[in-house]
Amino acid sequence: MKKVGITGGIGSGKSTVCEIFHLLGVPVFHADDEARYLQNNDLTIRDQFIGLFGAGIYLSDGSLDRKKLASLVFNDPVLLDKVNKIIHPSVRQCFINWTHEYINEPYVLYEAAILLESGYTKDFDLIILILADENVRIERVIKRDNISEEMVRDRIKNQLTDSQKIELVGYIIENNNSQLLIPQIIDLDRAIRNDNILHHSNH
Ligand code: ATP
């Protein structure tokens, strides 16, 4: 079973692309959802968050105050790094455990927004990057989340640029409005199953 990572900037279409892979029968692990689950439910992680930020980082219903966390770490890379170091090892362990269920599948997907930023790349046979122009991404996210352009741009600021990401990945899916998405995914699925990936640097 191959492990394939899939990433892309905010609004690039990770969820959309993964949904199509899922329809093709590919098991998909959503790292960001898992991280969210662990932040709310894993007692060791809760203790570490409370140690770092105080009990007020959890809301009265027991869930993590994500807005407060975001505002605290936004302009503090050291704190952000500490938060990531609490979360990432547990998410990776969950992923490894999860893969045991799919040992007979040709491949599984690991979807994460900050896969490349987190440096968690060596465990993957292939990393796919979804690319869409920044203006397309901003437009899609404003429409999807009903938030301001400034908020989307703030989130983009904390991610690597696309040109930095391109250097680090093996394959690119283009998801602007000019390219059809489904044929690209069908071709890629077939190539992964047949071990016949044409890496983007060889195009
Ligand atoms: P995030 O990083 O915020 O989780 P994402 O990378 O998972 O975003 P999606 O949620 O898949 O991105 O896509 C963002 C929005 O753009 C969604 O509303 C989705 O329906 C829409 N979208 C994605 N791809 C396309 C496309 N090819 N054509 C039209 N709309 C699209």
Side-chain angles (χ1 to χ4, degrees):
M1 178 205 57
K2 291 193 207 78
K3 296 189 191 97
V4 177
I6 187 158
T7 191
I10 176 170
S12 57
K14 294 178 292 297
S15 305
T16 308
V17 167
C18 285
E19 189 56 38
I20 300 168
F21 274 107
H22 175 69
L23 291 173
L24 295 174
V26 181
V28 182
F29 182 89
H30 301 280
D32 301 332
D33 292 348
E34 189 64 36
R36 223 162 284 150
Y37 176 81
L38 291 171
Q39 284 165 355
N40 289 337
N41 298 290
D42 183 290
L43 294 181
T44 313
I45 289 177
R46 286 179 75 91
D47 283 349
Q48 291 181 76
F49 270 113
I50 290 170
L52 209 51
F53 300 105
I57 200 67
Y58 282 92
L59 297 165
S60 53
D61 67 359
S63 67
L64 184 73
D65 189 340
R66 288 166 51 79
K67 270 198 189 135
K68 187 186 265 182
L69 180 70
S71 69
L72 289 170
V73 300
F74 219 80
N75 289 311
D76 191 335
V78 176
L79 205 51
L80 179 62
D81 189 50
K82 282 187 185 164
V83 166
N84 286 336
K85 285 199 171 113
I86 293 172
I87 288 292
H88 287 163
S90 301
V91 174
R92 283 170 207 173
Q93 193 52 52
C94 288
F95 173 60
I96 299 300
N97 297 343
W98 174 88
T99 58
H100 296 154
E101 264 184 69
Y102 300 105
I103 211 77
N104 294 322
E105 297 290 333
Y107 72 102
V108 297
L109 278 183
Y110 177 96
E111 180 212 354
I114 56 160
L115 180 57
L116 302 170
E117 287 85 346
S118 73
Y120 178 44
T121 52
K122 65 177 188 336
D123 286 1
F124 296 101
D125 299 278
L126 172 71
I127 295 187
I128 302 165
L129 174 65
I130 306 167
L131 284 183
D133 294 341
E134 196 167 293
N135 59 330
V136 173
R137 289 160 51 200
I138 290 171
E139 215 171 275
R140 285 178 183 161
V141 174
I142 290 173
K143 199 164 152 201
R144 184 193 63 191
D145 297 346
N146 202 15
I147 58 175
S148 70
E149 175 172 344
E150 197 190 351
M151 281 166 92
V152 188
R153 285 193 188 278
D154 270 347
R155 290 194 207 166
I156 288 176
K157 262 195 258 163
N158 265 357
Q159 302 184 335
L160 291 176
T161 64
D162 283 344
S163 48
Q164 289 170 308
K165 289 180 185 173
I166 287 168
E167 297 295 316
L168 302 172
V169 303
Y171 199 91
I172 288 168
I173 292 176
E174 303 263 359
N175 187 25
N176 285 308
N177 296 325
S178 49
Q179 295 96 341
L180 287 176
L181 199 49
I182 293 175
Q184 294 184 72
I185 296 171
I186 290 173
D187 287 350
L188 178 54
D189 173 68
R190 197 170 302 146
I192 299 172
R193 288 174 195 271
N194 296 333
D195 223 349
N196 189 24
I197 296 288
L198 195 59
H199 287 257
H200 76 87
S201 50
N202 302 334
H203 276 182

